[in-house]
Amino acid sequence: MSADSRGSREDILRAAHELMVEMDTVEISLSQIAEKAQLSAALVKYYFGSKDGMLLELLRQYKTAPGRLDALLAAPVSASEKLAMHIQGIVNVYSRAPYLNRLILTLLRRDSPMVKEISENFMRPMAEFHAKLLALGVQEGSMREIDPMSFNFMLVGACDNLFSRRAALPLGFGVPEITAEVRRKHVEELTRLFLAGVASDARAAGSEQRSA
Amino acid sequence: MSADSRGSREDILRAAHELMVEMDTVEISLSQIAEKAQLSAALVKYYFGSKDGMLLELLRQYKTAPGRLDALLAAPVSASEKLAMHIQGIVNVYSRAPYLNRLILTLLRRDSPMVKEISENFMRPMAEFHAKLLALGVQEGSMREIDPMSFNFMLVGACDNLFSRRAALPLGFGVPEITAEVRRKHVEELTRLFLAGVASDARAAGSEQRSA
């Protein structure tokens, strides 16, 4: 691939990313992408086969690196600290790509080999990581028994909602946008809610004794 | 309005509701709605002005009845019990209309008087309710200080995600659909997570003493 064609591919992916962030939707058209990238819409089809092919390529940039979740599980810190690091990690991803879960769901509605790839690279690794993390917490005695599937939906939803439903910020709270401070506060509140929410009774009592 | 025209209006709204549930998207076309309702697409425009007007009318069906959240705040039960009842209530709504938050966000992207109506009937009442509920819990001594805005995003996201991201059920967990049991379990886990997650230290210690 020549430097030029690489540049064009990247321009197209960047344009699609920027459009989805600015317009707060994944329903963007080929012509909008072409206009933003200042390239012909035909080039999108030439490089990526189709608009969906291009969106899948964009999605791949957010794939968790193989072994990264395993490394977090193996890190020499408590299960609660692993959970805190995980919360910060997924908030970082949603902050860069607030359209991420919406894009996944949109591509999953297509009947295609994409479904298998998305399932194997996004859904299942996260589901397995959560199940292992919770088991580790129970084993350590710091966490109670929790249904890993419910936990997955609760955690993803709680972390994602600030970004995917950010239109509510000005309307519900008079806050114009997600500033660094809004994001920092949200990570702090998420961490406190989930750490206390999954704590075993022994752990909750421990924190009380420390504060007494 | 004649019985016939009422019937047609209701047929159109029901068709749009069913399409959004079945297709797991709010991106439905006038012709799909017309085909589903077995009515002419022109009737949608005749009754509702536009497709968006029809979608707003559908959304109005999910408006919280005036005074209902105030009644919950005034109910003679603890703040934690109010929170548990609220969780059950919003899960019931998302269960009936898993497209609800997505529909709100889609209509908010339109420049129109809809934004004011949606903000005043959906965003603000919920935001104010959460702030008052948390203040009540702090006053009772059962809840810690929490940022009400973060709480709103965490709670809405955690409750909504099972429904709005239900495509992940078969792919991530091998679960074909949201059964009554999946839903019951999710409400149970949500209630435990949030009640423990917002509890003041004194409350967490109290639950430990009871279980000891």
Side-chain angles (χ1 to χ4, degrees), chain B residues 67-82:
Chain B
R68 192 165 160 183
L69 293 174
D70 286 337
L72 180 52
L73 283 172
V77 296
S78 70
S80 298
E81 282 169 280
K82 293 182 214 295

Side-chain angles (χ1 to χ4, degrees), chain A residues 149-150 152-154 157, chain B residues 91 94 98 156-169 173 175 177-179 182-187 190:
Chain A
M149 187 174 89
S150 267
N152 177 276
F153 286 105
M154 293 191 294
Chain B
V91 166
Y94 297 152
V156 169
C159 291
D160 177 71
N161 202 255
L162 175 67
F163 303 97
S164 62
R165 201 166 60 91
R166 65 191 181 282
L169 276 173
F173 305 95
V175 172
E177 57 177 355
I178 305 176
T179 59
V182 167
R183 193 177 121 181
R184 189 202 58 74
K185 183 73 185 160
H186 196 57
V187 169
L190 281 163

Side-chain angles (χ1 to χ4, degrees), chain A residues 94-106:
Chain A
Y94 297 152
S95 176
R96 272 194 299 151
Y99 53 77
L100 192 68
N101 281 310
R102 181 56 32 192
L103 181 59
I104 287 176
L105 293 174
T106 300

